[in-house]
Amino acid sequence: MANKVDVAVIGAGPAGLAAAIAAREQGAEKVLIIERAEQLGGLLPQCIHNGFGLEYFERDMTGPEYEKAFVERAMGLGVETQLETMVIDLDGERGITAVSRKHGYMKFKPGAVVLAMGCRERSRGAVGIPGTRPAGVLTAGTCQRFVNIEGYMPGSRYVVLGSGDIGMIMARRLTLEGAKVEAVVEIMPWPGGLIRNEVQCLHDFGIPLLLEHTVSFVHGEKRVEGVSVCRVDAERRPIGGSERFIPCDCLLISAGLIPENELSRRAGVELDPVTGGPVVDESRQTSVPGVFAGGNVVQVHDLVDWVSREAELAGRSAAAFADKGRLKPAGGVKVVPGESIRYVVPHTISGREDVSLHMRVTRPGLKATVKVGGVASKRFRSVRPSEMIVIDLKGDALKEAGTGGELTVDCRMKEGD
Amino acid sequence: MPFHETEVLIIGAGVLGAATARELSRYKVDVTVVEKGVDVGWGITKANVGVVCQGRDTLEFRPEYHRTRLLWRALPLMEPLCRELEVPFKKVGAYMMVRDQVLKEKLDKLAKRTESLGLGSDKYYPFTELREREPYISPEIKGGLHDPEIAVVHPVYLTQALMENAVSNGVNLMLETEVTGIQAGHSEFTVQTDHGEIKARYVINAAGEWVDRIAAMVNADDFVLFPIKGYVGVLDRNCSQLAGSLLAVLPEEPGDMNIVVPTVEGNLLFGIQLQINRRHDRSTTEHMARLALANARKLIPEISEKDVINSFCGFLMFRNFEIGWHECEVAMSARVPRFVNMTIGYPGVSASPGAALEVVEIMQADGLKLEPDPKFNPHRKDIPDFSVLTEKERKALVRKDPRYGHVVCRCETVTEGEIVEAVRRGATTLDGVKFRVRPGTGRCQGGFCGPRVSRIIARELGIPETEVTKAGGGSPQVPLRTKQLLEEGGGDG
Ligand SMILES: Cc1cc2nc3c(=O)[nH]c(=O)nc-3n(C[C@H](O)[C@H](O)[C@H](O)COP(=O)(O)OP(=O)(O)OC[C@H]3O[C@@H](n4cnc5c(N)ncnc54)[C@H](O)[C@@H]3O)c2cc1C
Ligand SMILES: Cc1cc2nc3c(=O)[nH]c(=O)nc-3n(C[C@H](O)[C@H](O)[C@H](O)COP(=O)(O)OP(=O)(O)OC[C@H]3O[C@@H](n4cnc5c(N)ncnc54)[C@H](O)[C@@H]3O)c2cc1C
């Protein structure tokens, strides 16, 4: 590195781009994004469908359009990028080791680091489907890349396991490509993705959604020849005798995303076992000083708009930190998930500043009220685990209410979906 | 019409076939190996936990067993062999443990037997001391016997290395060539394959799961085999701290094989859950997966279902009660001269160097002339493994060939340079590359690198990507181009 890097951003998805832009705007001189893929944008280039930007730009955009808006801003601000470069190590003192064909083997220590590595999909092994191991079993996101970027089809007749957004979006995409999607199979009693995707991707195309079902066996020696699908009981265990065979040549897995935190682990960043991402304070600083995080590496967001917002926060904070610790301490008050709340991000807040809490519920419900200690409460007609809830708190209100070092978030709701 | 003639024909390129081919390549003799798969080591050898066992871990290694003698003969050979071939070999040691104080007697007996056989002396550790060495073991464990000699190898790497070295020393390897029939002639065999006939003076039948069927083709089936399916689970690399050594409990019931094994790569394997099954059906079942996990948790309660990133099954070829369930068959057929059967249910990997030596001696005793080949080179260079190199080595490698600076698989840190080299050494499929340099074996199981590896293979082999397969003919990963279905009117979208 010729000049000292003020803020190094790992990953050039929507999170990395937004963080880099925010860091530059906050005054960081040299901001460098390191990305292992061939292009900027993370997952966005392969998301050629619409539905992006409704919150951030108040416009319905495709993934590539949304990405372009950020790439142009980043380039305009002189953000530097290194593509096809893999960060292979991050130590507890912000030391980065990266390699690439072009730049060789590099080691440097930036003023601050933003983790924006996104997430990976749960694989067949992680889901644990018994059966043979033929070609034709892949994750929905990998299939999306093959179809939308590389121009290949992994098969012509599909079953999708898991009703995550990517799975539902791919069910529609493959149908449009002339393939047959036999069913989307979901183990839970409710779909894993957004309602709009259930309607626009499945209902509109007559693709059956089998709730409380799972794939119990993969058949086929060389290529997938079909799968056994069966109903599950309340413990999510297959019900004997309910099995039926569905012929297909491809099984797509869309069974959830896992934040990509191998580097965070190496750096000694404390992780939240529920989100799978780093424990962060209000400024998105992790447990390692000078290491910040934003986007899907922290929590799996449902909308890319929240990814950008969260990463901007991380980028601004990183720039402040790099500028000789011009960063106010932002911890202090612990935010605790209470009744029917699976997690809340950030994990700690200052209790003085305006702050947004991001959270997910443990189960769907109607007429829900989310209460944040005695500070705020918000009502919802319905809540679902697949949809993130965001609650904005005012600094004044927090100061006034006094938090006593801890703030519990609860959700009361009526049964129903 | 014979399309090929050879002095010695080896059927099957599993660890036993490959070890024998390599042993024979020391001599000036014509050797051909036929393998029906697209790659070597993909039979039983692939579904294996890779333990170089010492023959003192169970009472079933009786000195009078043939397999015990082959194993003991092989033991001093394995480490030097791995060094010559640059195959990772890791001494991890093992604890044979008991959950029941009563069973401790059995351990004492085991320890005494080891000593009296002159195999070394294994120390017993009670739970508290064991726990200091292996902090994650279950509190239900009472204690365990430590065998410091147990090592692990990767059986497929070993097989590839043996075969690569054999080929570079003149052995002829024919992949995707399946033996379909054999006739014993007066002085030679005529072997039918799906590619034509091969004439051979000696046949070594090392066909693994199909060894009895091949023998039956020529009435050399002097033995009976019962294939028993074994299930093995793979844990995420993040769990590697849970066991530093091989951990096993002394079987409480016959057939119980409850072990957790570190691999040379640092993953943990667990199993082996056994089940009687139709031959050839290597599918895993929910039942086996559940039992194996429950058993593993009896050893290490912290192992959780979400850490299981993969699983597989393979067949252990069992004999019968009179001979000993685990006895092997490594001998010239009593009925068919010059036809050698070679099968070891367990531990075929560990015993392979010994078995190979013995087969060579069997043929020599029968009159096969073996003159040492002065050009024989025992060494083979391994493909550089970027993920384990030091900083200095990495820098030098990237400078020499920048493709080693392009990391393709993030989970296992595998570079383009390694993938290209794997293809150069004979990998033609996604699994072939995976079983040489590991892309796609980590926690995302190829989610990120799958499309990229397939592109590199297509480029290196000069074939379209639609022809790149997972594991040979009939298993393309992406059989179609986009728009193709629409043009062919395949769907109604
Ligand atoms: C298939 C799919 C469909 C979606 N559809 C929608 C939708 O319709 N509407 C919507 O609003 N949102 C949608 N989303 C969500 C949105 O795309 C994601 O939330 C967003 O991409 C996450 O951004 P990110 O920057 O955190 O992660 P990513 O986009 O995953 O970017 C992370 C980047 O980090 C890089 N990286 C990781 N590790 C390293 C390393 N060690 N060294 C260098 N680089 C590294 C990766 O290559 C990647 O480019 C969808 C997501 C997916 C997967
Ligand atoms: C779950 C499990 C765990 C094990 N763990 C260990 C261990 O830890 N340590 C140990 O030492 N041993 C272990 N073993 C035993 C060991 O795997 C076997 O003893 C060994 O791999 C057998 O090797 P092989 O060469 O005989 O068979 P294979 O590897 O099956 O090789 C036979 C080859 O012949 C080919 N073939 C078959 N039919 C034909 C035909 N008609 N024409 C051409 N080619 C043909 C096949 O494709 C195959 O490649 C384990 C076994 C199992 C099942």
Side-chain angles (χ1 to χ4, degrees), chain B residues 10-18 34-53 71 78 151-153 155 159 174 176-181 192-193 205-211 214 217 228-232 246 257 259 261 272-274 282 312-317 342-352:
Chain B
I10 300 175
I11 304 173
V15 72
L16 292 179
V34 283
E35 166 58 54
K36 68 175 179 185
V38 271
D39 213 327
V40 304
W42 286 5
I44 305 173
T45 300
K46 186 160 143 185
N48 186 293
V49 293
V51 177
V52 181
C53 73
L71 175 65
M78 189 56 101
V152 290
V153 293
T159 307
M174 296 179 177
E176 292 183 271
T177 307
E178 178 169 359
V179 171
T180 51
Q192 275 94 39
T193 77
N205 169 20
E209 206 177 313
W210 303 101
V211 75
I214 297 279
M217 288 175 181
I228 305 269
K229 186 149 100 175
Y231 168 98
V232 179
L246 187 163
M257 282 207 197
I259 57 176
V261 189
I272 302 169
Q273 195 62 45
L274 299 178
R282 286 203 220 167
F312 52 79
C313 283
F315 284 95
L316 289 150
M317 307 306 278
M342 192 177 193
T343 181
I344 302 176
Y346 185 92
V349 175
S350 319
S352 58

Side-chain angles (χ1 to χ4, degrees), chain A residues 36 101 153 177 223 260, chain B residues 284 410 416 476 480 483:
Chain A
R36 64 171 178 214
R101 201 163 19 196
M153 290 282 282
E177 268 294 330
R223 274 290 305 194
E260 183 73 72
Chain B
T284 56
R410 59 179 169 187
E416 183 181 345
L480 303 162
K483 304 287 168 285

Side-chain angles (χ1 to χ4, degrees), chain A residues 9-18 33-55 60-63 66 82 84-89 97-99 115-121 140-142 144-145 148 165-167 169-170 172 194 196-197 254 257 260-263 294-308 310-311, chain B residues 410 448 452:
Chain A
V9 179
I10 308 177
L17 291 167
I33 309 184
I34 305 178
E35 166 61 52
R36 64 171 178 214
E38 305 74 0
Q39 80 248 63
L40 299 172
L43 280 163
L44 291 175
Q46 69 184 55
C47 298
I48 60 173
H49 53 280
N50 63 337
F52 295 85
L54 289 165
E55 296 280 337
D60 190 0
M61 306 160 91
T62 63
Y66 188 91
Q82 271 186 18
E84 289 190 272
T85 306
M86 176 81 83
V87 175
I88 56 175
D89 192 31
T97 309
V99 277
L115 306 173
M117 290 91 74
C119 52
R120 63 167 186 273
E121 299 175 277
T142 306
Q144 187 178 44
R145 185 176 168 92
N148 292 347
D165 287 313
I166 322 172
I169 286 164
M170 281 316 288
R172 172 177 65 184
L194 300 173
R196 71 166 196 229
N197 284 333
S254 177
L257 302 169
E260 183 73 72
N261 276 291
E262 275 50 64
L263 283 176
N296 277 353
V297 80
V298 176
Q299 54 177 330
V300 175
H301 292 262
D302 54 349
L303 293 181
V304 74
D305 308 62
W306 304 127
V307 167
S308 308
E310 174 168 73
Chain B
R410 59 179 169 187
F448 175 78
R452 289 161 173 90

Side-chain angles (χ1 to χ4, degrees), chain B residues 257-412:
Chain B
M257 282 207 197
N258 185 10
I259 57 176
V260 171
V261 189
T263 66
V264 285
E265 272 130 15
N267 291 86
L268 292 180
L269 304 178
F270 66 94
I272 302 169
Q273 195 62 45
L274 299 178
Q275 182 178 301
I276 294 174
N277 210 102
R278 197 154 46 90
R279 198 187 300 226
H280 195 54
D281 172 8
R282 286 203 220 167
S283 59
T284 56
T285 64
E286 203 254 343
H287 180 72
M288 291 173 100
R290 192 150 30 84
L291 288 179
L293 186 67
N295 276 337
R297 288 167 57 90
K298 286 188 204 156
L299 276 173
I300 302 177
E302 258 176 73
I303 293 177
S304 113
E305 190 172 354
K306 67 178 202 313
D307 299 322
V308 181
I309 58 164
N310 204 348
S311 60
F312 52 79
C313 283
F315 284 95
L316 289 150
M317 307 306 278
F318 277 55
R319 298 297 294 279
N320 56 40
F321 178 72
E322 297 91 82
I323 299 183
W325 287 111
H326 293 289
E327 187 54 306
C328 66
E329 176 74 20
V330 176
M332 191 171 283
S333 164
R335 294 188 235 153
V336 185
R338 302 185 320 284
F339 192 92
V340 181
N341 289 307
M342 192 177 193
T343 181
I344 302 176
Y346 185 92
V349 175
S350 319
S352 58
L357 273 181
E358 186 148 320
V359 166
V360 170
E361 286 164 8
I362 289 170
M363 291 189 295
Q364 225 166 0
D366 188 68
L368 176 68
K369 288 230 166 33
L370 292 175
E371 190 189 323
D373 183 349
K375 291 199 301 290
F376 173 74
N377 176 4
H379 298 285
R380 166 216 176 241
K381 278 248 152 295
D382 194 16
I383 302 174
D385 180 351
F386 186 83
S387 70
V388 301
L389 296 181
T390 64
E391 196 179 319
K392 221 175 114 199
E393 291 166 329
R394 284 176 173 183
K395 276 186 183 153
L397 191 60
V398 177
R399 221 175 298 122
K400 205 175 91 200
D401 183 346
R403 288 177 299 187
Y404 283 93
H406 180 210
V407 178
V408 175
C409 163
R410 59 179 169 187
C411 306
E412 300 291 306

Side-chain angles (χ1 to χ4, degrees), chain A residues 7 258 400:
Chain A
V7 176
I258 304 167
E400 207 170 291

